[in-house]
Amino acid sequence: MTFLTIGHRGVMGVEPENTLRSFLRAEHDGMDAIELDLHLSKDGALVVMHDLEVDRTTDGTGAIADLNLAELRELDAGLGERIPVFEEVLDAVGSPIQAEIKDVAAARALAEVMHERGLVGRVEVSSFHDEAVAEIARLVPGVRTVLIASRWGGDIVQRAKAVGAHRLALSIRRLSLEVVEQARKEGIGINGWVVNTQEQLRLARAFELEAVTTDLPEIRRIGRFTA
């Protein structure tokens, strides 16, 4: 069985998250895919950052949506790194990418880039929001999609099925065999996140998950030898 290791915001456990430095390190360390987050700047650029605000991960303050790209470029995102735009990441690394979108507007902007660059085979799109998953699937036929959840009810597999998600990305801390089996019956894969310890990795292996998302490069190495 193929077991994929996805670098969370690059490898955010050892590099500044969602920066080119982090993505290049993830690729260098052999991650099977790279996960990143997308927001729209005030002037419509697809910028790579997790939070709604820049405060936590840069030396600036304010909401991404209130800042234009030039203003965002002035900020230090850690170790002198600048906030990248999605297109820069595509050019900097050759790895498959899992792009998390926060809303329908981001889905539409991402769809444009995917069509322009022919990214259906390379970029998988994820979201916590059912409507965003459904929108990207509508706009980009054939795109692989992932519905994310940290807490969920008994309908999570049906929600994924309803929006055509190929996989669920579920918190490894709350994952149960029942949900895994329900998803498998519907042909929906499961990615466990965030897997940063050997105990969590063993659990993912025991559930026979298709993939894990991790902050740490060593999880990939350990994962190749953990039954």
Side-chain angles (χ1 to χ4, degrees), residues 194-214:
V194 175
V195 173
N196 285 335
T197 68
Q198 289 197 45
E199 181 181 0
Q200 291 167 341
L201 185 57
R202 281 193 291 269
L203 182 59
R205 285 298 209 179
F207 281 145
E208 296 184 346
L209 302 187
E210 287 77 9
V212 295
T213 301
T214 183

Side-chain angles (χ1 to χ4, degrees), residues 105-195:
R108 292 169 181 160
L110 176 58
E112 290 186 18
V113 177
M114 292 188 69
H115 284 303
E116 288 171 2
R117 295 208 176 198
L119 297 174
V120 172
R122 182 182 175 195
V123 174
E124 181 178 68
V125 184
S126 64
S127 184
F128 279 89
H129 306 287
D130 302 46
E131 62 275 15
V133 173
E135 182 70 356
I136 195 72
R138 182 183 71 81
L139 294 171
V140 186
V143 65
R144 295 188 62 80
T145 56
V146 182
L147 180 64
I148 315 171
S150 54
R151 298 179 182 273
W152 58 86
D155 64 341
I156 187 62
V157 173
Q158 290 306 310
R159 282 175 53 198
K161 187 177 178 182
V163 297
H166 296 82
R167 275 196 288 149
L168 280 162
L170 301 177
S171 170
I172 195 70
R173 296 176 182 273
R174 298 182 177 87
L175 193 55
S176 68
L177 183 59
E178 180 183 7
V179 171
V180 172
E181 290 178 340
Q182 287 177 2
R184 196 159 285 140
K185 286 178 182 177
E186 296 292 348
I188 296 170
I190 294 186
N191 168 24
W193 64 273
V194 175
V195 173

